[in-house]
Amino acid sequence: MQTSTELNAIARKVQQAYYEDGLADIFMGVLLLGLAAFITLLAYHIYFLVFMILALNPLFYIPLIERAKQRWVYPRAGYVKPKPLQETSTRGAVLVLFAIVLLVIIPAVTFFILSSYTGLFFWLVWMAPATFGLLISIGPFFIAYKYHIARYYLFAVLPPPIGAIVPWLNLSFPSAYAAFFTTLAIQFAIVALLALFSGIVLFLRFLRRYPVEPTDSAEGEKPHVLA
Amino acid sequence: MSSPESPPPSSGDEDLDPLIHSPARLKILTVLKEVESAEFLFLLRHTDLTRGNLSSHLSKLEAVGYVRITKEFVEKIPRTLIQLTETGKAALEIYRKRMLERLDRLK
């Protein structure tokens, strides 16, 4: 008789399958590096915001991930269509929404309170990077919690302390906005480099572990299961 | 054997569905429960069964309507997709409840 522990382990492994090949990490790394570059440029010109919004568009990068999976992953580990998110966790989605609202309200409230006492400079340089770091953490934390993937907790916990530490380094910036945007870019870049590193390691390990399997066509017209 | 998509067979309130009670088929259904649909190769990787074994178990599950097997072509490459049906989901849930009841009685 199958123990429930073994079945739970199978279920968990299936849930983690999408992240097993490292491609999601690689794309996250590339996306965050791109964002870091655009944010740095934002300090010089606000028009770069348009490029940033285009780069963040899921319609642009999700098909790219799918193409990469079709090329390297599915022939080795088989295609899988995940459950729609709303079916798997309505409670999780509500929690994430609540966290986003909370994390938008906190910077807004601190801004209004602090800017009247200390001015915009203090808020932008000392407060905003850490609070925006919390916003960056939401995505990785959600993935780590939902799919039990430990490395995503690391991606999630890093941005807020980086945002808090960088102002203490006394780097010279031309303006408070430049200080804010550069600190934000450093947060993105560090998480991006970590994600890229783990993604590349996982992807190489995946290619080594799973050689290409023969497709259905190589075994005749009938699918395996009906043979 | 019942026709595909028919209600799960029951041979008494307390009986465990013999089709699900087999360790291999329970593994298959557990994997399918976690996804919308999966390819044969994906199931092979996650159940540790041989191709022949998996194929035979899937045929049995398809015959009672617990799984649906379809074939599609993606860029001229055939893809065999296996999906848990509503009947299969219901049968698995009934099996889980009855198994928990039995385990409770052992306490």
Side-chain angles (χ1 to χ4, degrees):
Chain A
M1 166 66 209
Q2 210 87 34
T3 65
S4 63
T5 322
E6 195 187 341
L7 292 176
N8 283 339
I10 291 171
R12 186 169 285 193
K13 212 176 144 211
V14 171
Q15 288 166 4
Q16 293 170 342
Y18 188 81
Y19 297 91
E20 186 192 9
D21 52 61
L23 282 176
D25 293 39
I26 292 174
F27 273 88
M28 186 172 94
V30 171
L31 186 76
L32 291 181
L33 266 187
L35 275 176
F38 284 129
I39 288 169
T40 312
L41 294 170
L42 263 183
Y44 300 96
H45 214 298
I46 196 74
Y47 289 141
F48 279 104
L49 189 65
V50 178
F51 293 107
M52 205 175 100
I53 290 166
L54 283 176
L56 263 176
N57 192 345
L59 291 174
F60 171 69
Y61 63 85
I62 288 177
L64 277 179
I65 299 181
E66 192 53 30
R67 267 209 92 71
K69 283 197 177 266
Q70 228 160 48
R71 170 76 179 79
W72 289 294
V73 177
Y74 299 151
R76 291 175 159 83
Y79 171 79
V80 61
K81 188 176 176 190
K83 271 185 181 175
L85 201 58
Q86 66 269 23
E87 196 184 312
T88 53
S89 175
T90 312
R91 192 170 141 259
V94 169
L95 273 174
V96 169
L97 198 68
F98 177 73
I100 291 171
V101 170
L102 199 70
L103 289 173
V104 169
I105 289 170
I106 289 171
V109 170
T110 52
F111 170 72
F112 282 116
I113 294 170
L114 287 173
S115 60
S116 54
Y117 291 105
T118 60
L120 186 65
F121 180 85
F122 181 86
W123 186 83
L124 273 176
V125 175
W126 294 94
M127 295 295 297
T131 44
F132 274 83
L134 286 171
L135 276 173
I136 304 168
S137 300
I138 293 173
F141 183 80
F142 177 73
I143 294 170
Y145 175 76
K146 184 165 169 48
Y147 302 109
H148 312 277
I149 304 172
R151 67 182 184 280
Y152 274 75
Y153 279 118
L154 180 68
F155 303 154
V157 297
L158 278 176
I162 295 168
I165 289 166
V166 171
W168 290 95
L169 300 176
N170 286 327
L171 303 171
S172 63
F173 297 106
S175 66
Y177 284 106
F180 166 63
F181 284 128
T182 311
T183 310
L184 210 58
I186 291 170
Q187 288 171 304
F188 276 116
I190 290 175
V191 178
L193 291 175
L194 268 174
L196 268 177
F197 176 74
S198 76
I200 290 167
V201 170
L202 283 170
F203 185 58
L204 293 176
R205 200 173 68 179
F206 176 84
L207 294 182
R208 250 203 326 266
R209 188 180 287 174
Y210 299 116
V212 178
E213 290 279 332
T215 59
D216 286 348
S217 57
E219 295 173 31
E221 270 306 296
K222 282 177 118 186
H224 311 287
V225 285
L226 299 176
Chain B
M1 227 170 244
S2 58
S3 64
E5 299 296 321
S6 62
S10 61
S11 49
D13 279 348
E14 297 301 310
D15 284 337
L16 293 170
D17 186 339
L19 261 160
I20 301 180
H21 199 53
S22 136
R25 288 192 286 270
L26 191 52
K27 267 187 185 177
I28 295 168
L29 294 174
T30 303
V31 172
L32 289 175
K33 189 177 158 282
E34 297 300 324
V35 298
E36 180 80 14
S37 58
E39 210 176 353
F40 184 86
L41 182 58
F42 184 86
L43 279 177
L44 206 61
R45 294 264 188 240
H46 286 84
T47 54
D48 293 326
L49 298 170
T50 62
R51 279 180 181 272
N53 244 334
L54 178 59
S55 183
S56 130
H57 286 303
L58 282 174
S59 297
K60 282 177 191 166
L61 290 168
E62 189 190 25
V64 289
Y66 287 0
V67 300
R68 188 182 302 118
I69 299 167
T70 50
K71 193 166 179 172
E72 61 177 30
F73 286 84
V74 180
E75 292 176 1
K76 294 180 183 173
I77 298 167
R79 185 186 271 172
T80 307
L81 286 176
I82 300 116
Q83 187 178 17
L84 193 62
T85 62
E86 288 305 316
T87 315
K89 280 179 200 166
L92 192 60
E93 186 54 26
I94 291 169
Y95 174 85
R96 193 187 68 86
K97 279 182 184 160
R98 287 184 183 164
M99 183 53 99
L100 285 174
E101 280 167 17
R102 285 193 172 197
L103 290 171
D104 269 349
R105 261 182 256 145
L106 283 174
K107 281 181 184 172

